[in-house]
Amino acid sequence: MMQALPGPYLLFLGDISEPSYAKTAFGLRDWAPERCVGELRCDGAGVTTGLAPMAPADAYAAGARSLVIGVANAGGHIPVSWMPSLLQAMEAGLDIVSGMHTRLADVAPLRDAAQRLGRRLIDVRQPPSGIPVGSGRRRSGKRLLTVGTDCALGKKYTALALARAFAARGIDADFRATGQTGILIAGGGVPMDAVVSDFAAGAAEMLSPDAAAGHWDVIEGQGSLFHPAYAGVSLALLHGSQPDVVVVCHQPGRERVLGHPDFALPTIEDTIALALQLGRRTNPAIRCGGVSLNTSHLDPTAALRLLDDERERLGCAVADPMRGGAAFERLVEDCLA
Amino acid sequence: MMQALPGPYLLFLGDISEPSYAKTAFGLRDWAPERCVGELRCDGAGVTTGLAPMAPADAYAAGARSLVIGVANAGGHIPVSWMPSLLQAMEAGLDIVSGMHTRLADVAPLRDAAQRLGRRLIDVRQPPSGIPVGSGRRRSGKRLLTVGTDCALGKKYTALALARAFAARGIDADFRATGQTGILIAGGGVPMDAVVSDFAAGAAEMLSPDAAAGHWDVIEGQGSLFHPAYAGVSLALLHGSQPDVVVVCHQPGRERVLGHPDFALPTIEDTIALALQLGRRTNPAIRCGGVSLNTSHLDPTAALRLLDDERERLGCAVADPMRGGAAFERLVEDCLA
């Protein structure tokens, strides 16, 4: 399905005001820029990708063939306020691509317009059929899983950057996508959070099958083992991935769980400890390869100082993959060690 | 839906030879005997409920109005070998009730026969619509969750027995079903393992809503936090249930995870410790009310001795709810303390 996605894309940002909900749009901008011609926002929306704003007709004229819903909200529903923009896009000739829980074809106005205009409604979050129950069987090849202190703080970017860095060193490596944005970037994967619970660990096993001894699967983490809504997904992914290496991802300064202000964020140390404790169940040799910090809110000097301080404090490699440099080189080396 | 289930039932055991897969049939026999007229097995099947064997036509003559598929297998699919029995039941006038993952209406021969004969195909495992994402918000009232060292060893029976014992003491208590058998017995509930992963904790929250301060929800546990396939479901249920009390359920002598012989069973102590460690995230006051042992394979003297020894060793109430007695009284008291 993914190979047939109609591109390039017009990125739709809806009317959100919280950048953390625009992971899909930012991910496509950063990791598949050649597939993005511009962005479309509802009136008054506060979040932008920095790409050129475009009306659907102009985007179509510039080559776009689909509008990608580049934002998510808790629960994954499509609000009524987005409908005029989506209908306008179909009128202009664009298909609609979505990674939300709600199936596009279940929204009557979209279904009707698609039928009338001959447009496609493509749900990236539809899991593949035939997912087995997890077996726990040890598989050949090597696996790395990114594990977070929370949602939306760098697990996908870290996995993408590590997979690229592994490949740059001549190592056979695949990025394995577990969420809608990753799937749009990678052209395949399993949308973990849409899998029925009983099959979630089996889906993770399916995503990183037996491979050559020297091959690495670099698997995009989901949620957090401490998250009051999503910890079950994270644990199923950890067990099914049976990673040899975890890299713990965190955003310095974030103190509360995103969208759940009553919940304090776990510390990096507690997150490492719990991932290793629980991950040992399916891979007794699991270890922590290091820590990835999202320092996008800091200036370069402050970021470098923080990475140094945290490496000292935690006693392991600490890097911001988006800044690269010696710290990231050390993280890559420690993961492969 | 559950109130309208056509009864009484003919219990179907398929062709299984492993009693642990017949939880639904045994549960209905033990907890809703007035709804069961007999059992039907495929030729050569080794497992029986002890109820009278009946051909579908005889069961219909005896009052049965549906055949309940009383067994499960890994993955929840309906094997071809069951088809003649199920078709025969529909010919005889019975509707089909199933708690398996496979939807009955997705099996072409069943769908066709149901249409031709005017029978109903009823899937108990269909989750309700409108399940929210978990919020983690603390709810009023008291909650108890049964937690297992493995699948299929007494979590449902323990919850049913505790709910009855609470009610017998004049305490306002509800058994909350999370699996197909429990739902058939209770007349309602949420089939946790069929819920999409992202909503699993939210489903558990929905199952045990705000209640009066003195009210107890006694929630049926699922899987095990150590299970290579189902730990994610167990963690979502633990977080969403936010139990005040957990009761750890175990079958003495079981040393390997059912169906996963490469995995050693966790100890009771490790299961208590992990349930409290992870459960604290949504209920900091969580405590262990005691241990429930399934001693059905022991004679009464050996069972009583084991319960005594384990109480001594573990330092908490240890009972077999199916044997009752002073040990069970103490477990009930310690849960309510």
Side-chain angles (χ1 to χ4, degrees):
Chain A
M1 182 191 78
M2 298 308 310
Q3 283 73 11
L5 276 185
Y9 307 143
L10 173 64
L11 300 183
F12 180 63
L13 289 158
D15 49 5
I16 60 161
S17 54
E18 165 57 67
S20 300
Y21 285 136
K23 285 195 296 183
T24 301
F26 293 136
L28 286 167
R29 176 200 63 191
D30 293 341
W31 295 93
E34 72 287 357
R35 309 198 72 183
C36 306
V37 302
E39 72 171 30
L40 175 66
R41 296 186 277 163
C42 296
D43 289 344
V47 175
T48 175
T49 60
L51 294 174
M54 277 191 193
D58 297 330
Y60 187 86
R65 288 299 173 264
S66 68
L67 175 146
V68 170
I69 297 179
V71 292
N73 50 17
H77 301 295
I78 294 176
V80 174
S81 55
W82 296 1
M83 218 53 75
S85 299
L86 301 180
L87 294 172
Q88 198 188 0
M90 282 194 277
E91 295 280 355
L94 302 176
D95 294 331
I96 309 287
V97 178
S98 165
M100 309 191 77
H101 270 303
T102 303
R103 286 170 56 102
L104 291 168
D106 289 343
V107 181
L110 298 180
R111 184 182 59 233
D112 296 346
Q115 279 173 354
R116 181 168 51 85
L117 298 164
R119 305 287 175 258
R120 282 184 288 170
L121 301 176
I122 301 170
D123 291 292
V124 174
R125 193 171 245 166
Q126 196 65 19
S129 57
I131 297 175
V133 166
S135 73
R137 184 183 64 80
R138 292 282 291 135
R139 304 188 296 284
S140 54
K142 294 284 189 184
R143 283 161 198 83
L144 181 152
L145 174 68
T146 55
V147 167
T149 56
D150 195 5
C151 297
L153 47 60
K155 292 187 290 293
K156 176 179 62 267
Y157 277 36
T158 299
L160 282 161
L162 286 170
R164 283 198 183 173
F166 286 10
R169 293 176 179 229
I171 292 160
D172 190 16
D174 281 307
F175 167 70
R176 298 297 191 184
T178 60
Q180 64 273 24
T181 304
I183 293 170
L184 283 163
I185 293 168
V190 176
M192 275 300 296
D193 55 0
V195 174
V196 166
S197 296
D198 239 15
F199 300 93
E205 295 182 358
M206 189 180 181
L207 181 66
S208 60
D210 280 306
H215 177 274
W216 281 83
D217 272 331
V218 183
I219 304 161
E220 175 193 4
Q222 287 294 332
S224 144
L225 294 167
F226 296 86
H227 197 288
Y230 305 129
V233 181
S234 305
L235 180 55
L237 181 57
L238 177 63
H239 276 172
S241 298
Q242 53 182 228
D244 303 281
V245 171
V246 292
V247 170
V248 168
C249 303
H250 177 63
Q251 180 167 44
R254 192 182 296 187
E255 291 176 355
R256 320 298 299 178
V257 174
L258 189 69
H260 297 264
D262 289 345
F263 286 83
L265 220 66
T267 65
I268 293 171
E269 301 93 306
D270 285 348
T271 305
I272 294 173
L274 187 60
L276 297 183
Q277 176 191 351
L278 298 177
R280 244 172 239 125
R281 183 65 173 161
T282 57
N283 188 344
I286 189 173
R287 64 185 176 84
C288 178
V291 170
S292 171
L293 296 183
N294 178 344
T295 64
S296 55
H297 55 301
L298 298 178
D299 67 56
T301 311
L304 280 180
R305 191 180 321 120
L306 179 71
L307 296 176
D308 269 354
D309 291 350
E310 288 293 272
R311 187 188 64 220
E312 195 80 20
R313 186 176 73 83
L314 296 165
C316 66
V318 178
D320 182 339
M322 306 311 290
R323 295 187 187 272
F328 184 58
E329 290 302 304
R330 180 170 160 204
L331 176 62
V332 172
E333 277 161 27
D334 284 6
C335 289
L336 294 170
Chain B
M1 183 191 78
M2 298 308 308
Q3 282 72 10
L5 275 185
Y9 308 141
L10 174 63
L11 300 183
F12 180 63
L13 289 158
D15 49 5
I16 60 161
S17 54
E18 166 56 67
S20 298
Y21 286 136
K23 285 195 297 183
T24 300
F26 293 137
L28 285 168
R29 176 199 63 190
D30 293 340
W31 295 93
E34 73 287 357
R35 309 198 71 182
C36 306
V37 302
E39 72 171 30
L40 174 66
R41 296 185 278 164
C42 296
D43 288 344
V47 175
T48 175
T49 61
L51 294 173
M54 278 192 192
D58 297 330
Y60 187 88
R65 288 299 171 265
S66 68
L67 176 147
V68 170
I69 297 179
V71 292
N73 49 18
H77 301 295
I78 294 175
V80 174
S81 56
W82 296 2
M83 218 53 75
S85 300
L86 300 180
L87 295 173
Q88 199 188 358
M90 281 194 279
E91 295 281 354
L94 302 175
D95 294 330
I96 309 287
V97 178
S98 164
M100 310 191 76
H101 270 303
T102 303
R103 286 171 55 101
L104 292 167
D106 290 343
V107 182
L110 298 181
R111 185 183 57 234
D112 296 347
Q115 280 173 354
R116 181 167 52 84
L117 298 162
R119 305 285 175 260
R120 282 183 289 170
L121 302 176
I122 301 171
D123 291 293
V124 174
R125 194 169 244 167
Q126 196 64 20
S129 57
I131 298 174
V133 167
S135 73
R137 183 183 64 80
R138 292 283 291 135
R139 304 188 294 286
S140 54
K142 293 284 187 185
R143 284 163 197 82
L144 182 152
L145 174 69
T146 55
V147 166
T149 56
D150 195 4
C151 297
L153 47 60
K155 292 186 291 291
K156 177 178 61 267
Y157 277 36
T158 300
L160 282 162
L162 287 170
R164 282 197 184 175
F166 287 10
R169 294 177 179 227
I171 290 160
D172 190 17
D174 282 306
F175 167 71
R176 298 296 190 184
T178 59
Q180 64 273 25
T181 304
I183 293 170
L184 283 163
I185 294 168
V190 175
M192 274 301 296
D193 54 1
V195 174
V196 166
S197 295
D198 240 14
F199 299 94
E205 295 182 357
M206 190 179 178
L207 180 66
S208 59
D210 280 307
H215 178 275
W216 281 83
D217 273 331
V218 183
I219 305 160
E220 175 193 5
Q222 288 294 330
S224 142
L225 294 166
F226 296 86
H227 197 287
Y230 305 130
V233 181
S234 305
L235 180 54
L237 181 56
L238 177 63
H239 276 172
S241 298
Q242 53 182 230
D244 302 282
V245 171
V246 291
V247 171
V248 169
C249 303
H250 177 62
Q251 181 168 44
R254 191 182 297 186
E255 292 176 353
R256 320 297 300 176
V257 174
L258 188 69
H260 297 264
D262 290 345
F263 285 83
L265 220 66
T267 64
I268 293 171
E269 301 92 306
D270 285 349
T271 305
I272 294 172
L274 188 60
L276 298 184
Q277 177 192 350
L278 297 178
R280 243 171 241 127
R281 184 64 173 160
T282 57
N283 187 345
I286 189 173
R287 64 186 176 83
C288 178
V291 169
S292 171
L293 296 183
N294 178 344
T295 65
S296 56
H297 55 301
L298 298 178
D299 67 57
T301 311
L304 280 180
R305 192 179 322 122
L306 180 72
L307 295 176
D308 268 354
D309 290 351
E310 287 293 271
R311 188 188 62 220
E312 195 79 19
R313 186 177 73 83
L314 295 165
C316 65
V318 178
D320 183 340
M322 305 311 290
R323 295 187 188 270
F328 184 57
E329 290 301 304
R330 181 172 160 203
L331 176 62
V332 172
E333 275 161 28
D334 284 7
C335 288
L336 293 170

